[in-house]
Amino acid sequence: MSKTAIVTGASRGIGKACALKLACHFDRIIITSYHNKDALLKVRDEIRQAGTDCHAFTGDIGDYQFVETMISECIDRFHKIDLLVNNAGISYVGLLTDMTPKDWDIVVRTNLTSVFNCCRQVVPYMVHEKSGHIINISSMWGLQGASCEVAYSASKGGVNSFTQALAKELAPSNIRVNALACGTVDTDMNSCFSSEDMETLCNDIPIGRMATPGEIAEMIWLLYNSPAYLTGEIIKIDGGYL
């Protein structure tokens, strides 16, 4: 039976690595991005060239109407969704007193509201099939807040609680919901830090380096294939940082 996976925020970094990894195992991959259409289409083409069906949607995953339209189109075409990876996210580094209400809204909308939007649309179809898995990409800073990353930490803490609550709600329908609390990953999200800052951060990580996007993608695949009894978990992958 054919299987379909959705990966949000898939134009680069963790999302791209995840989409490419899942394309080796799923029959079709649905990918999204908001600001990086050209990069997203390159990922789509790479997946198609490898022999897996792939469809790309460009739009704001924090916009409920966009998500509703996208999921409706996916169901019309493919009839069910087996895996949803909520990966889309942004960071904000700076003092709380320098943050504007607009800054706060954008972080929460992208990191947390997007998870609600996608789950709200996908869950009814998973319940109908009595199967499915939702994996939310969170952060170690959702477990222990980071200085100068208040909005990011709060949004990822929300993702963690959302994960645990929804897992309890959906367990009777044989649907699993888990999250990965990632440490520092070598992606463009960290480009705001200087080389000196990154060296200091890596020195604080027991394993001595950042994770690669490929390592997070491998963990997503392992989590998808984990025993059916594993649900409602926030799994750290942070090089021993916390």
Side-chain angles (χ1 to χ4, degrees):
M1 183 179 295
S2 63
K3 288 186 176 295
T4 301
I6 296 176
V7 182
T8 68
S11 65
R12 58 184 182 175
I14 293 172
K16 176 182 177 180
C18 176
L20 293 173
K21 177 67 178 181
L22 295 177
C24 298
H25 305 280
F26 282 72
D27 300 282
R28 63 185 62 89
I29 307 293
I30 312 302
I31 55 176
T32 77
S33 181
Y34 188 13
H35 298 294
N36 301 295
K37 182 177 181 179
D38 290 343
L40 185 73
L41 294 180
K42 287 181 180 179
V43 176
R44 180 201 65 186
D45 292 344
E46 184 175 349
I47 290 173
R48 286 180 174 178
Q49 288 168 8
T52 300
D53 191 16
C54 184
H55 298 264
F57 292 84
T58 304
D60 180 6
I61 211 73
D63 177 4
Y64 188 84
Q65 185 60 56
F66 166 74
V67 175
E68 183 177 40
T69 301
M70 179 187 73
I71 298 301
S72 177
E73 185 173 337
C74 290
I75 293 297
D76 287 345
R77 287 187 185 183
F78 313 125
H79 309 298
K80 72 169 193 166
I81 296 163
D82 301 277
L83 171 63
L84 166 64
V85 181
N86 285 308
N87 167 72
I90 59 173
S91 66
Y92 177 97
V93 179
L95 297 172
L96 175 69
T97 49
D98 291 333
M99 175 173 268
T100 67
K102 182 178 180 180
D103 293 330
W104 171 272
D105 288 342
I106 290 173
V107 172
V108 172
R109 174 188 176 97
T110 305
N111 295 359
L112 180 57
T113 303
S114 66
V115 177
F116 164 78
N117 289 345
C118 291
C119 290
R120 175 62 184 82
Q121 288 301 313
V122 167
V123 163
Y125 301 106
M126 288 186 171
V127 169
H128 180 266
E129 296 291 330
K130 292 291 189 288
S131 69
H133 196 163
I134 297 168
I135 298 176
N136 298 320
I137 304 304
S138 185
S139 169
M140 63 181 180
W141 300 133
L143 299 169
Q144 178 178 301
S147 175
C148 295
E149 294 192 60
V150 170
Y152 182 79
S153 299
S155 66
K156 292 302 186 178
V159 169
N160 292 342
S161 294
F162 183 103
T163 297
Q164 292 170 323
L166 188 61
K168 293 177 179 178
E169 188 173 319
L170 296 181
S173 297
N174 196 39
I175 300 164
R176 297 198 289 150
V177 188
N178 291 292
L180 291 181
C182 301
T184 306
V185 184
D186 189 9
T187 68
D188 290 344
M189 185 178 287
N190 294 312
S191 61
C192 60
F193 295 106
S194 68
S195 58
E196 291 80 8
D197 288 338
M198 292 307 303
E199 182 178 359
T200 299
L201 178 57
C202 287
N203 288 336
D204 289 338
I205 301 170
I207 207 168
R209 64 172 177 84
M210 293 182 284
T212 67
E215 287 175 312
I216 306 303
E218 181 67 25
M219 191 64 200
I220 291 168
W221 174 240
L222 291 173
L223 183 53
Y224 177 75
N225 283 284
S226 62
Y229 205 63
L230 181 66
T231 192
E233 293 300 320
I234 314 299
I235 299 170
K236 289 196 293 103
I237 177 167
D238 64 359
Y241 191 94
L242 293 186

